[in-house]
Short mmCIF file of all heavy atoms in Angstrom, two decimals:
data_model
loop_
_atom_site.label_atom_id
_atom_site.label_comp_id
_atom_site.label_asym_id
_atom_site.label_seq_id
_atom_site.Cartn_x
_atom_site.Cartn_y
_atom_site.Cartn_z
N PRO G 8 -1.27 20.39 5.15
CA PRO G 8 -2.25 21.49 5.28
C PRO G 8 -2.51 22.12 3.92
O PRO G 8 -1.60 22.32 3.12
CB PRO G 8 -1.54 22.48 6.22
CG PRO G 8 -0.55 21.65 6.96
CD PRO G 8 -0.08 20.60 6.00
N ALA G 15 -3.32 24.42 -5.96
CA ALA G 15 -3.56 25.12 -7.23
C ALA G 15 -3.92 24.19 -8.38
O ALA G 15 -4.71 24.55 -9.26
CB ALA G 15 -2.35 25.97 -7.59
N ARG G 22 -8.39 30.94 2.51
CA ARG G 22 -8.63 31.08 3.95
C ARG G 22 -9.36 32.41 4.12
O ARG G 22 -8.78 33.49 3.98
CB ARG G 22 -7.33 31.07 4.74
CG ARG G 22 -7.58 31.18 6.25
CD ARG G 22 -6.29 31.27 7.05
NE ARG G 22 -5.57 30.02 7.07
CZ ARG G 22 -4.26 29.89 6.84
NH1 ARG G 22 -3.55 30.95 6.54
NH2 ARG G 22 -3.69 28.70 6.89
N LEU G 23 -10.66 32.31 4.38
CA LEU G 23 -11.49 33.52 4.42
C LEU G 23 -11.00 34.52 5.45
O LEU G 23 -11.08 35.73 5.26
CB LEU G 23 -12.94 33.13 4.69
CG LEU G 23 -13.62 32.34 3.56
CD1 LEU G 23 -14.93 31.74 4.04
CD2 LEU G 23 -13.85 33.21 2.33
N THR G 24 -10.47 34.00 6.56
CA THR G 24 -10.05 34.91 7.63
C THR G 24 -8.76 35.66 7.30
O THR G 24 -8.31 36.49 8.09
CB THR G 24 -9.90 34.14 8.96
OG1 THR G 24 -9.09 32.97 8.72
CG2 THR G 24 -11.25 33.72 9.49
N LEU G 26 -8.81 37.52 4.69
CA LEU G 26 -9.36 38.70 4.01
C LEU G 26 -9.68 39.79 5.04
O LEU G 26 -9.69 39.54 6.25
CB LEU G 26 -10.63 38.31 3.25
CG LEU G 26 -10.47 37.16 2.25
CD1 LEU G 26 -11.83 36.74 1.70
CD2 LEU G 26 -9.54 37.57 1.12
N PRO G 47 -24.60 28.09 -9.97
CA PRO G 47 -25.42 27.87 -8.77
C PRO G 47 -25.13 26.49 -8.20
O PRO G 47 -24.49 25.67 -8.87
CB PRO G 47 -26.86 27.94 -9.30
CG PRO G 47 -26.78 28.43 -10.68
CD PRO G 47 -25.41 28.16 -11.19
N ALA G 48 -25.64 26.22 -7.01
CA ALA G 48 -25.26 24.95 -6.41
C ALA G 48 -26.37 24.38 -5.53
O ALA G 48 -27.13 25.11 -4.91
CB ALA G 48 -23.99 25.10 -5.58
N VAL G 50 -26.78 22.12 -2.09
CA VAL G 50 -25.96 22.12 -0.87
C VAL G 50 -26.06 20.74 -0.22
O VAL G 50 -27.17 20.23 0.00
CB VAL G 50 -26.43 23.20 0.12
CG1 VAL G 50 -25.58 23.16 1.39
CG2 VAL G 50 -26.33 24.58 -0.53
N ALA G 51 -24.91 20.16 0.07
CA ALA G 51 -24.87 18.86 0.73
C ALA G 51 -24.22 18.98 2.09
O ALA G 51 -23.33 19.81 2.30
CB ALA G 51 -24.08 17.86 -0.12
N ARG G 59 -9.63 4.87 11.19
CA ARG G 59 -8.18 4.65 11.20
C ARG G 59 -7.91 3.23 10.74
O ARG G 59 -8.56 2.32 11.23
CB ARG G 59 -7.60 4.88 12.59
CG ARG G 59 -7.78 6.28 13.14
CD ARG G 59 -6.95 7.29 12.33
NE ARG G 59 -6.85 8.58 13.02
CZ ARG G 59 -7.75 9.55 12.96
NH1 ARG G 59 -8.85 9.37 12.24
NH2 ARG G 59 -7.57 10.68 13.59
N GLN G 73 -18.04 22.72 -10.65
CA GLN G 73 -17.11 22.86 -9.54
C GLN G 73 -17.77 22.27 -8.28
O GLN G 73 -18.99 22.14 -8.21
CB GLN G 73 -16.79 24.33 -9.29
CG GLN G 73 -16.05 25.00 -10.45
CD GLN G 73 -15.84 26.48 -10.18
OE1 GLN G 73 -16.69 27.15 -9.60
NE2 GLN G 73 -14.72 27.01 -10.63
N VAL G 85 -9.07 15.65 2.90
CA VAL G 85 -9.59 15.48 1.55
C VAL G 85 -8.51 14.86 0.67
O VAL G 85 -7.40 15.40 0.60
CB VAL G 85 -10.00 16.83 0.93
CG1 VAL G 85 -10.69 16.61 -0.40
CG2 VAL G 85 -10.91 17.60 1.86
N GLY G 90 -6.29 13.46 -13.60
CA GLY G 90 -6.09 12.45 -14.62
C GLY G 90 -7.39 11.89 -15.15
O GLY G 90 -8.46 12.17 -14.62
N GLU G 99 -3.07 12.89 -3.73
CA GLU G 99 -2.53 13.80 -2.71
C GLU G 99 -3.65 14.04 -1.69
O GLU G 99 -4.83 13.90 -2.01
CB GLU G 99 -2.11 15.13 -3.32
CG GLU G 99 -0.92 15.04 -4.25
CD GLU G 99 -0.45 16.44 -4.65
OE1 GLU G 99 -1.09 17.02 -5.55
OE2 GLU G 99 0.53 16.93 -4.08
N LEU G 102 -5.34 18.78 4.44
CA LEU G 102 -6.09 19.07 5.66
C LEU G 102 -6.80 20.40 5.47
O LEU G 102 -6.16 21.43 5.21
CB LEU G 102 -5.13 19.15 6.85
CG LEU G 102 -5.77 19.46 8.20
CD1 LEU G 102 -6.59 18.26 8.68
CD2 LEU G 102 -4.68 19.79 9.24
N GLU G 107 -11.70 27.92 6.05
CA GLU G 107 -11.11 27.76 4.73
C GLU G 107 -12.15 27.15 3.79
O GLU G 107 -12.99 26.35 4.22
CB GLU G 107 -9.91 26.81 4.79
CG GLU G 107 -8.84 27.25 5.75
CD GLU G 107 -7.75 26.20 5.97
OE1 GLU G 107 -7.86 25.08 5.43
OE2 GLU G 107 -6.80 26.50 6.71
N ILE G 108 -12.10 27.52 2.52
CA ILE G 108 -12.93 26.85 1.50
C ILE G 108 -12.03 26.38 0.38
O ILE G 108 -10.98 26.97 0.12
CB ILE G 108 -14.05 27.77 0.96
CG1 ILE G 108 -13.48 29.05 0.33
CG2 ILE G 108 -15.05 28.10 2.06
CD1 ILE G 108 -14.51 29.90 -0.39
N PHE G 109 -12.45 25.32 -0.26
CA PHE G 109 -11.66 24.73 -1.35
C PHE G 109 -12.64 24.45 -2.50
O PHE G 109 -13.54 23.62 -2.36
CB PHE G 109 -11.01 23.44 -0.84
CG PHE G 109 -9.92 22.88 -1.73
CD1 PHE G 109 -9.18 21.78 -1.31
CD2 PHE G 109 -9.61 23.43 -2.97
CE1 PHE G 109 -8.18 21.24 -2.10
CE2 PHE G 109 -8.61 22.91 -3.76
CZ PHE G 109 -7.90 21.80 -3.33
N GLY G 114 -13.91 17.67 -12.89
CA GLY G 114 -13.01 16.62 -13.34
C GLY G 114 -11.99 16.15 -12.32
O GLY G 114 -11.33 15.14 -12.53
N ASP G 118 -12.13 11.70 -2.92
CA ASP G 118 -12.80 10.73 -2.06
C ASP G 118 -13.66 11.51 -1.07
O ASP G 118 -13.46 12.72 -0.88
CB ASP G 118 -11.76 9.90 -1.31
CG ASP G 118 -12.35 8.62 -0.73
OD1 ASP G 118 -13.55 8.35 -0.97
OD2 ASP G 118 -11.63 7.89 -0.04
N GLY G 120 -14.68 13.14 2.26
CA GLY G 120 -13.83 13.64 3.34
C GLY G 120 -13.96 12.80 4.60
O GLY G 120 -14.92 12.04 4.78
N GLY G 122 -13.08 13.06 9.03
CA GLY G 122 -12.72 13.94 10.13
C GLY G 122 -11.26 13.79 10.47
O GLY G 122 -10.74 12.67 10.52
N GLN G 136 -25.71 16.73 -11.64
CA GLN G 136 -25.13 16.20 -12.86
C GLN G 136 -26.17 15.40 -13.63
O GLN G 136 -27.00 14.71 -13.05
CB GLN G 136 -23.97 15.26 -12.53
CG GLN G 136 -22.85 15.91 -11.79
CD GLN G 136 -21.66 14.98 -11.73
OE1 GLN G 136 -20.82 14.98 -12.62
NE2 GLN G 136 -21.60 14.18 -10.69
N VAL G 150 -4.15 3.72 -1.10
CA VAL G 150 -3.28 4.75 -0.53
C VAL G 150 -3.67 4.99 0.93
O VAL G 150 -4.85 5.22 1.24
CB VAL G 150 -3.40 6.07 -1.33
CG1 VAL G 150 -2.54 7.16 -0.69
CG2 VAL G 150 -3.00 5.86 -2.78
#
Side-chain angles (χ1 to χ4, degrees):
Chain G
R22 182 184 288 133
L23 293 167
T24 50
L26 305 172
V50 179
R59 299 293 194 275
Q73 295 176 324
V85 186
E99 293 188 281
L102 179 70
E107 303 171 356
I108 59 172
F109 194 175
D118 197 3
Q136 299 190 89
V150 177

